[in-house]
Structures are given as C-alpha cells and as structure tokens.
Amino acid sequence: MQRLFAVAVNTFRETLRDKILYNLVLFAVLLIGSSVLLGTLTIGEQARIVNDLGLAAINVVAVIIAIFVGIGLVSKEIERRTIYTLLARPITRAQFVLGKYLGLALVILVNIGIMFSMFLATVRLSGHPIHASLFQAVELILVEALLVMAFALLFSTFSSSILSATLTLGIYIIGHLTSDLRTIAETHASSAIKALTTTLYYAIPNLETLNIKGQSAAGISVDLGFQMTATIYGLLYTGLLLVGACLIFQRRDF
Amino acid sequence: MDAITVERVTKIYEPTWPWHRSSTVLSDVSLSVSKGEIFGFLGHNGAGKTTTMKILLGLLRPSSGTVDVLGAPAGDVATHSKLGYLPEAPYFYDYLTAEEFLEFYGKLAGMSRDAIQSRIPTLLEQVGLQEAQRRQLRKFSKGMLQRIGLAQALIQDPELVVLDEPMSGLDPMGRKEVRDLILNLREQGKTVFFSTHILSDVEMVCDRVGILAKGKMLALGKVEDLVDAHLAQSIEVVCDGVIGKQIEPVRRLALRILQSGTRCLMVLPGHECLDEILEALRRAGAKLVSIIPHKGSLEELFVQKSHGEG
C-alpha cells in the first residue's frame, strides 16, 4: 500500500503543480461570478440561476479535469518513459494504475471541495438559502467525475491521448443520452440500429442518473435511497472500469 | 552464482495490422552475468541492447526463451527491490526537486522515511549533486539528469544495477566519475550490467563484455580473450637505411609498408614471419630501430564483428 500511496501522492503533486488546473479553477470562479450577475438580471429566480450556473460550472470543470488530466495519467508516463524506472521498482502494474487513479481522484476531490466552498460563499453572499440538495448534487458530480476519469484511464491504457480523449468525451455525451438510445431502440425499424443502440444502452453508464442539478438548484432534495443507489451504481461501474484498466495494463509491453 | 541468466531469448514484434511485417529485434540471445561482475553490453544503436534490458526488467516479454534475474524469473516484482535501473536518456518528473524525486523512488523501493532521509545526502554527494538538493529537475542540465538518474537507481543500495548508456550526455569529467562509481559498486560486491557504445569505458571497467548486432550475440567473454581469439596480433617493425619495397621478403610478407626517406615502417601479420624478415633486413644492411607487437583492440573487434554481421 505504501507504494500505491507514493504513486498517488506523486500524481497529486504533479497535477497541482500543473498550471492548467489553476486556469480551470479561475474558469469556475468566473462562471460562478457571472451567475451572480445573471441572477441580478432575472426577476424572481435569482437563487435558482445562481445555483444552476454554479453547479454547472463545478460539473464542467470536474469533467474537464477528469477527461483531460485522466487521459494523460498513464500515457504521459509512457510517452516520457518515466514508466520504465517506475515499473523497475517493486511495484505491481495494478498498484501503479490504481495509484495514478487515486492521485487524480484526490485532485478532483480537492478541486470540487474548493469550488463548492466558493459556490456556497457566493450563494450566502447573494443572500440566498443554502439547500441540502446542493450537497446532494455536488456529491453526484464527484461520482460522475470519478466514473468519467475511470473511462479516461481505461482508454489511455491501450490508445493514444487524442483517441482516449475522443472516446471518453463520446462516452460522456452518450452517457447523458442513454434514455434517447432506448427510445431509438424501441422505435427504429432497422434491426442493426436496434441492436447497436440496445448494446450502447446497456454498455454505457446512464450518466443522467447522476445528474440532479436541475432539481437541486430549485432546492428540491432527492430521496436518500436514490442518492445511495446512484452513488453505488457510479462507483461499481468505476470499479469495473479500473479492473479492466489493470488487466489491460498488465498485458502491455513497454 | 549468476545474477542474470538469459537463455535463447528471441523477441519478435508482431504487426498491429495484417499488412505490416513482424520484426525480429532479438534472435536466440544467450548470456550470463555472475554476481559481483561488471558486464558491458556493446552494440550499435538499434542492435537490441535496450530491448534486452527491458526484458530483464519485465517491461517486455520475450517471444521465446527464458530470463532469470537474481534467481527469479524476469518481471518478478519482489526481485525489483534488489535492483536499480537507469534508462537511456532519462526523463524524470521535472516538477520535483532532487530531494523529492529521490524520496519518491525510495518510497517505491519500500524504504522507511528515516532510511530515505539518511540515504539522500550520501547519494547526492556520490553523484556530485549536493548543491542541487532543493532544485527542481526542470532546471537540471542533461548531465545532471543523468546523475540524478544514477542516484535513483542506487537509492535502496541494490544488488544489481542495470544501466542503459550511463555515460551518454556526460562531459569527460562526468564520464570519469561514472566510471569510478561503477568500479566502486564492484568493490562493494554489486553486479553491474551496462550498455554503451563508448568502447574505452568498457575496456577500463568491464570484467566481461557481450557484443550484440542486429539482435544477435556475436561475441561474449573477457575483453582480452575476445581480442586474442578473434584478432591476429600484428607486429610493427621500424628500421633505418633500407627501402622496404626493394627487399623481397618484406614485399611479400608485410601487410603495410610506410617509407620516409631511408626509414621504413612495416606491419607484419604475426610472429611466424618475423625471423625471415629480420634476416632479410640484416642482409640488406638495415639498422633496426624497434619491434612493437601490436595488440588488437576492442574497437577493432567491435568494428570487425559489426561489419561482419552487416
């Protein structure tokens, strides 16, 4: 475990020392700030606008970090050849993959934590109430980011950075449209399209399950049972993807 | 006991696409390195040296053959706690300071915090980087990166050190320091397996060498034995007062004749013809200046072997 944590801490430090991350936080600050501005221009719905834009900003930044830093977790180590000296140490390939994942998960957790604190401060300073639903929404944003990051890591164990980014982005978009896939599967006449959309529906996680930003922004909490199920669903999916990433990485030549 | 045993290893890269051809980078390579030995691995760029090293470390799997490192199959993770590796032209995490970098590799090697903290200053002094302890690696020169790479390879005081081109990127002083460091490792009873194409380094520090070309092991053994066995020993004779080309035995037997005024330098193929030549020179009234046996060098052997393969 010491070795796994050593890799995780190093990944955390690497990402924090990367200036891209600060730009993303700045982006979030601007979005949250603009939400306040937009809120003042709206009659009656100020609180909702502030909540909506704030949660969306946190979500976008978390997903961008998950995809674009996630795809580089393993591929950067291979491209820079730092992987050689790492794997020449008494560390298993699975420990390496999980350590990298854990390190970035920590980065995302800290970033979401900072952004959410800034967001709550914004809500409070705007004179609006802080609903428990906001905490629920941000928890599922974190789960979604962890899931998307696992996809990015999985793809980066066997493909180039560009392909990994494209595939992960594709999964993210389709993941938010899975209900449409089901509708297509039910209504389309072509059996080939039916088979394809049905396969995609079952293979790709339903990311809309993790999206409760709309109702949270309105101050409506979701049932705790739903929250738990959605969290377990996301984390189980993440676990499966990490197992896949470890298995693929285990077989790779460098 | 052998620290490394490579038996009939072949590595073939299978094509990704059916229309590509497979490429054989190692072909039936065998070698062994005893414990406490310094083994030099020679070969041109692309000869297969790095591939062999990657196989030793489990970074690549051989297509056929067996590889044992410190008594366990190559790639055995537990064995890695007893070995250190420096890759060719290393690139490290440039956002880390030298101290943080060595701390990270110490943790990966399973060392305790105290052990790491006491080891870092010693190592940095050993590689001449004590001044750069708190400097980020992004501010390091190529030579400094090579040195910090060596330091990470030695962090846990390993039994076996695998170094891929450890002298590349270093100035003459740096190369001497690395040579001394390798010799120092031998004094400590460590095994060193290193690749290079700087032959003078090999002659100075290696107990044994292996010459690899196009994935095939062409020669293996002690430098002197290889040179004696593969290269004929020529003799250089210098004399005054004769024109070499006018003496029949000289014209017939000498490999090369250089004339400068009445001074003649001739290179003879070996001891066998020396008596006949000396007799002919004496009869011609020559005054003998010197007879120097010319020993073949590793460089000649390397060129001969590489060209023979090419």
Side-chain angles (χ1 to χ4, degrees):
Chain A
M1 282 307 266
Q2 183 200 350
R3 295 175 178 106
L4 191 150
F5 285 126
V7 174
V9 169
N10 192 50
T11 307
F12 182 73
R13 185 149 47 185
E14 176 183 9
T15 319
L16 281 196
R17 288 184 187 175
D18 203 334
K19 291 187 175 103
I20 293 169
L21 215 58
Y22 300 121
N23 294 339
L24 291 171
V25 173
L26 184 71
F27 170 70
V29 172
L30 286 175
L31 266 177
I32 293 169
S34 66
S35 72
V36 179
L37 193 69
L38 278 171
T40 56
L41 301 173
T42 320
I43 303 161
E45 292 281 334
Q46 288 97 332
R48 190 183 172 133
I49 293 286
V50 170
N51 290 346
D52 252 341
L53 282 174
L55 288 174
I58 293 169
N59 196 181
V60 167
V61 172
V63 168
I64 287 176
I65 296 173
I67 296 177
F68 293 101
V69 184
I71 55 161
L73 277 180
V74 171
S75 59
K76 244 163 71 178
E77 300 269 5
I78 297 169
E79 281 160 23
R80 291 175 178 177
R81 292 178 291 162
T82 42
I83 190 92
Y84 299 162
T85 45
L86 282 182
L87 295 184
R89 294 283 155 207
I91 177 171
T92 64
R93 294 188 179 197
Q95 281 175 325
F96 168 75
V97 169
L98 295 177
K100 295 298 290 181
Y101 181 84
L102 197 65
L104 187 55
L106 203 61
V107 171
I108 288 184
L109 182 70
V110 168
N111 267 270
I112 289 182
I114 293 169
M115 289 189 291
F116 190 55
S117 305
M118 291 191 300
F119 164 64
L120 291 182
T122 312
V123 174
R124 173 59 74 200
L125 289 171
S126 320
H128 304 303
I130 294 173
H131 298 291
S133 62
L134 297 179
F135 289 88
Q136 288 185 314
V138 91
E139 190 262 339
L140 291 182
I141 286 174
L142 174 66
V143 173
E144 185 189 60
L146 293 177
L147 178 53
V148 171
M149 194 172 88
F151 267 112
L153 182 69
L154 173 76
F155 292 136
S156 76
T157 54
F158 63 86
S159 66
S160 68
S161 297
I162 295 173
L163 190 60
S164 302
T166 313
L167 288 170
T168 313
L169 205 59
I171 293 275
Y172 178 74
I173 294 166
I174 298 171
H176 279 283
L177 300 170
T178 48
S179 52
D180 294 338
L181 285 175
R182 189 165 213 179
T183 314
I184 294 168
E186 281 165 0
T187 55
H188 215 282
S190 160
S191 57
I193 290 179
K194 251 184 210 279
L196 178 72
T197 47
T198 309
T199 308
L200 283 175
Y201 175 76
Y202 285 110
I204 293 173
N206 183 356
L207 295 179
E208 271 306 299
T209 310
L210 305 172
N211 179 17
I212 55 166
K213 292 190 292 292
Q215 66 185 88
S216 297
I220 303 162
S221 297
V222 291
D223 176 51
L224 273 182
F226 173 83
Q227 178 97 17
M228 284 281 283
T229 311
T231 302
I232 291 168
Y233 170 73
L235 294 181
L236 269 181
Y237 225 110
T238 302
L240 282 175
L241 294 171
L242 289 179
V243 169
C246 289
L247 288 175
I248 293 169
F249 198 67
Q250 197 69 37
R251 299 170 62 88
R252 263 199 81 151
D253 268 354
F254 298 104
Chain B
M1 191 190 163
D2 287 338
I4 297 173
T5 316
V6 176
E7 265 180 57
R8 310 201 65 181
V9 163
T10 295
K11 177 66 186 176
I12 301 167
Y13 284 112
E14 296 299 341
T16 313
W17 305 102
W19 54 87
H20 287 168
R21 280 193 298 178
S22 62
S23 77
T24 305
V25 286
L26 286 180
S27 181
D28 210 19
V29 169
S30 296
L31 64 92
S32 65
V33 180
S34 304
K35 279 196 173 171
E37 190 174 56
I38 300 184
F39 186 89
F41 205 30
L42 305 177
H44 289 298
N45 292 334
K49 303 187 299 286
T50 301
T51 304
T52 309
M53 290 188 161
K54 285 184 178 175
I55 288 174
L56 292 179
L57 296 159
L59 295 168
L60 281 177
R61 289 172 184 81
S63 306
S64 65
T66 56
V67 181
D68 281 345
V69 178
L70 298 171
D76 179 69
V77 171
T79 312
H80 287 188
S81 58
K82 293 184 276 185
L83 67 85
Y85 171 56
L86 170 72
E88 187 184 359
Y91 177 91
F92 297 117
Y93 305 98
D94 55 11
Y95 52 89
L96 294 179
T97 64
E99 193 176 24
E100 288 170 339
F101 173 72
L102 292 178
E103 198 180 312
F104 174 47
Y105 277 83
K107 280 183 192 162
L108 288 179
M111 293 168 74
S112 70
R113 185 177 286 270
D114 290 345
I116 294 170
Q117 290 312 320
S118 64
R119 180 85 174 130
I120 288 175
T122 321
L123 261 182
L124 287 175
E125 196 187 335
Q126 214 174 340
V127 297
L129 287 175
Q130 58 271 55
E131 302 291 317
Q133 186 166 352
R134 291 196 170 78
R135 202 182 303 169
Q136 280 191 327
L137 300 193
R138 73 175 83 224
K139 292 168 188 160
F140 273 36
S141 68
K142 199 179 167 197
M144 289 168 84
L145 280 176
Q146 194 76 11
R147 287 157 191 260
I148 197 74
L150 266 169
Q152 69 77 28
L154 303 174
I155 184 80
Q156 87 282 26
D157 197 19
E159 274 179 46
L160 167 66
V161 187
V162 179
L163 310 170
D164 198 353
E165 301 283 356
M167 276 83 160
S168 73
L170 295 178
D171 54 25
M173 201 55 181
R175 272 173 51 197
K176 187 196 172 298
E177 283 168 11
V178 172
R179 272 201 307 269
D180 291 346
L181 199 113
I182 291 175
L183 290 170
N184 189 27
L185 288 171
R186 178 169 53 190
E187 277 169 26
Q188 293 170 36
K190 315 285 184 199
T191 311
V192 182
F193 182 94
F194 82 98
S195 73
T196 185
H197 52 257
I198 302 170
L199 299 173
S200 57
D201 296 335
V202 177
E203 282 183 303
M204 271 186 252
V205 300
C206 289
D207 297 311
R208 287 196 311 132
V209 295
I211 299 179
L212 196 70
K214 294 188 177 170
K216 289 180 186 155
M217 188 62 90
L218 300 182
L220 187 69
K222 288 185 176 174
V223 177
E224 318 86 76
D225 294 349
L226 286 176
V227 169
D228 290 346
H230 291 86
L231 294 175
Q233 197 172 347
S234 58
I235 295 173
E236 197 180 274
V237 177
V238 181
C239 57
D240 261 343
V242 288
I243 305 295
K245 281 185 181 166
Q246 290 174 354
I247 303 167
E248 192 278 325
V250 173
R251 213 169 42 234
R252 178 166 42 90
L253 296 168
L255 297 172
R256 209 147 44 105
I257 304 169
L258 292 172
Q259 191 76 42
S260 171
T262 56
R263 176 161 284 203
C264 177
L265 181 150
M266 59 205 84
V267 180
L268 308 179
H271 286 97
E272 301 76 29
C273 58
L274 186 61
D275 285 346
E276 190 183 346
I277 292 285
L278 290 178
E279 178 60 27
L281 288 172
R282 194 183 56 77
R283 277 203 307 268
K287 188 180 163 195
L288 196 62
V289 176
S290 66
I291 301 175
I292 303 166
H294 183 66
K295 214 168 181 301
S297 69
L298 185 62
E299 185 174 344
E300 284 173 88
L301 175 69
F302 181 64
V303 170
Q304 190 197 77
K305 286 283 170 191
S306 308
H307 284 179
E309 186 56 26

